């Protein structure tokens, strides 16, 4: 019995490992196919990591009431009709993140707080000493003098607290405006969601483009993963891979033949051409990281 249970456990672990490996391979294929490519969005995108939820097969696939709430709450970070770079494709257990121009503000490490603490002017030592003296003195004239001074000190403290509250309110208003601007410049995303854990047939470029066809124009994309020649040892670019920094690529391929820089929202993109003895390499960097490349013979 124990041996049988051990066998079942081993089989389960093997199956889970195979599924995890398949998911990892599928994600790499999706990244290679999509990341760094340009598409055109067909609807305004919310300025948040919440983005737009798409349920393939749902009726309707998008809950437009919730979508409208997000647009109203976070504003539009990517306007309909705008060309935008796919910056990340990431698989989760039951959904696929399709991130555009940074994926939206509000992910781990992003500060979304607009609360500003309000300092308070406390009683001064003079005010506390006067209160103590008034409680101990029996002279009516002296009590009256102390009371008048305490009233003046209290009113002065109240004016200072009012000033501090006004400053805090102004700071919160500025923090809200700064957050709004950060959201507008941080992109957005589609979350392709499923009721059940993802199956291999759902983790393909065709299924993703079909799920997003009503909301994304993929026509600007050219080529596919199958059309990209794989680096070989003979090509001199065997170490080239996505995720390298521009300095690391330069150490592999040498000095760039040409370079064109532009901004995609708040993201700096650089299109670079390298020439090696055997190949011509076209590379796209986003914020200094290689996200796409193409190798052709010279």
């Amino acid at each position: 019995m124990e041996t049988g249970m051990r066998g079942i456990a081993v089989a389960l672990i093997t199956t889970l490992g195979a599924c995890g490996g398949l998911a990892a391979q599928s994600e790499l294929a999706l990244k290679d196919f999509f990341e760094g490519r340009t598409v055109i969005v067909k609807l305004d995108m919310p300025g948040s990591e919440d983005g737009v939820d798409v349920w393939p097969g749902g009726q309707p696939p998008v809950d437009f009431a919730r979508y409208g709430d997000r647009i109203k709450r976070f504003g539009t970070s990517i306007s309909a009709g705008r060309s935008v770079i796919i910056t990340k494709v990431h698989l989760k257990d039951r959904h696929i993140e399709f991130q555009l121009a940074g994926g939206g503000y509000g992910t781990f490490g992003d500060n979304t707080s607009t609360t500003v603490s309000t300092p308070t002017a406390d009683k001064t030592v003079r005010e506390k000493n006067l209160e103590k003296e008034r409680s101990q003195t029996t002279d009516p004239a002296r009590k009256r003098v102390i009371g008048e001074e305490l009233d003046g000190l209290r009113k002065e403290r109240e004016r200072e607290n009012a000033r501090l509250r006004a400053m805090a309110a102004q700071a919160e208003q500025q923090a809200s405006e700064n957050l709004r601007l950060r959201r507008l410049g941080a992109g957005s995303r589609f979350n392709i969601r499923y009721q059940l854990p993802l199956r291999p047939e759902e983790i393909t470029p065709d299924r993703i483009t079909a799920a997003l066809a009503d909301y994304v124009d993929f026509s600007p994309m050219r080529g596919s993963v199958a059309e990209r020649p794989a680096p070989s040892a003979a090509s001199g670019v065997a170490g080239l891979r996505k995720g390298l920094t521009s300095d690391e690529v330069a150490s592999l391929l040498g000095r760039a033949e040409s370079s064109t820089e532009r901004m995609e929202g708040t993201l700096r993109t650089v299109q670079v051409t390298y020439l090696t003895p055997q190949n011509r390499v076209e590379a796209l960097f986003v914020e200094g990281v290689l996200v796409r490349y193409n190798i052709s013979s010279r």
Side-chain angles (χ1 to χ4, degrees):
M1 182 69 175
E2 182 179 348
T3 301
M5 292 299 294
R6 185 181 297 114
I8 293 173
V10 171
L12 179 59
I13 292 172
T14 301
T15 301
L16 291 175
C19 291
L22 179 61
Q25 292 174 9
S26 299
E27 183 171 67
L28 287 174
L30 294 179
K31 286 178 175 292
D32 193 49
F33 187 87
F34 286 111
E35 289 182 2
R37 304 295 183 88
T38 298
V39 294
I40 300 173
V41 294
K42 297 181 181 181
L43 74 173
D44 292 341
M45 299 295 296
S48 165
E49 87 286 1
D50 293 333
V52 178
D53 293 329
V54 178
W55 295 85
Q59 296 297 328
V62 172
D63 182 343
F64 281 101
R66 177 173 293 182
Y67 162 79
D69 289 340
R70 290 176 181 175
I71 289 289
K72 184 177 180 180
R73 179 181 177 187
F74 301 116
T76 298
S77 62
I78 306 172
S79 299
R82 175 182 159 189
S83 296
V84 64
I85 286 180
I86 305 165
T87 51
K88 188 175 183 179
V89 178
H90 183 49
L91 300 186
K92 296 293 187 69
D93 181 43
R94 296 172 187 262
H95 78 276
I96 301 170
E97 294 179 359
F98 193 82
Q99 301 188 18
L100 304 171
Y105 195 83
T107 56
F108 180 78
D110 290 339
N111 181 15
T112 58
S113 174
T114 59
T115 301
V116 176
S117 61
T118 305
T120 301
D122 296 325
K123 293 180 180 180
T124 63
V125 174
R126 174 63 176 169
E127 192 173 358
K128 292 178 182 178
N129 288 339
L130 285 173
E131 288 177 339
K132 183 178 180 180
E133 182 181 353
R134 184 175 61 177
S135 67
Q136 294 175 347
T137 187
T138 57
D139 183 352
R142 179 57 184 162
K143 278 183 179 288
R144 184 172 57 256
V145 171
I146 293 175
E148 291 173 354
E149 184 175 353
L150 282 173
D151 285 343
L153 291 173
R154 177 179 53 78
K155 290 178 181 178
E156 182 179 345
R157 177 160 48 83
E158 289 175 350
R159 285 193 296 270
E160 177 63 11
N161 281 328
R163 186 184 70 84
L164 292 173
R165 286 193 297 271
M167 289 178 60
Q170 185 177 8
E172 286 193 350
Q173 184 177 6
Q174 185 61 54
S176 296
E177 176 63 13
N178 291 341
L179 177 59
R180 185 186 71 83
L181 294 176
R182 288 195 295 268
R183 288 191 181 281
L184 297 183
S188 190
R189 70 180 66 184
F190 287 95
N191 296 300
I192 308 172
R193 298 189 179 277
Y194 299 86
Q195 296 289 349
L196 299 174
L198 288 168
R199 302 188 304 272
E201 62 267 24
E202 292 163 337
I203 313 175
T204 66
D206 286 344
R207 293 296 291 269
I208 289 179
T209 53
L212 298 179
D214 289 339
Y215 320 109
V216 177
D217 178 2
F218 289 95
S219 63
M221 290 181 56
R222 294 292 182 268
S224 70
V225 64
E227 294 172 334
R228 296 184 194 169
S232 65
S235 71
V237 291
L240 188 62
R241 66 183 187 280
K242 291 167 63 175
L244 295 179
T245 66
S246 55
D247 289 340
E248 290 170 331
V249 174
S251 68
L252 285 173
L253 304 181
R255 184 177 177 181
E257 178 72 14
S258 64
S259 176
T260 303
E261 179 177 333
R262 65 173 182 162
M263 296 299 295
E264 287 284 346
T266 60
L267 299 175
R268 183 177 67 91
T269 69
V270 184
Q271 183 75 43
V272 184
T273 300
Y274 301 92
L275 297 179
T276 71
Q278 296 85 18
N279 303 108
R280 176 186 180 91
V281 181
E282 301 285 345
L284 177 65
F285 296 89
V286 176
E287 292 297 327
V289 177
L290 181 64
V291 299
R292 191 177 77 204
Y293 62 88
N294 184 68
I295 304 171
S296 58
S297 298
R298 292 189 62 179

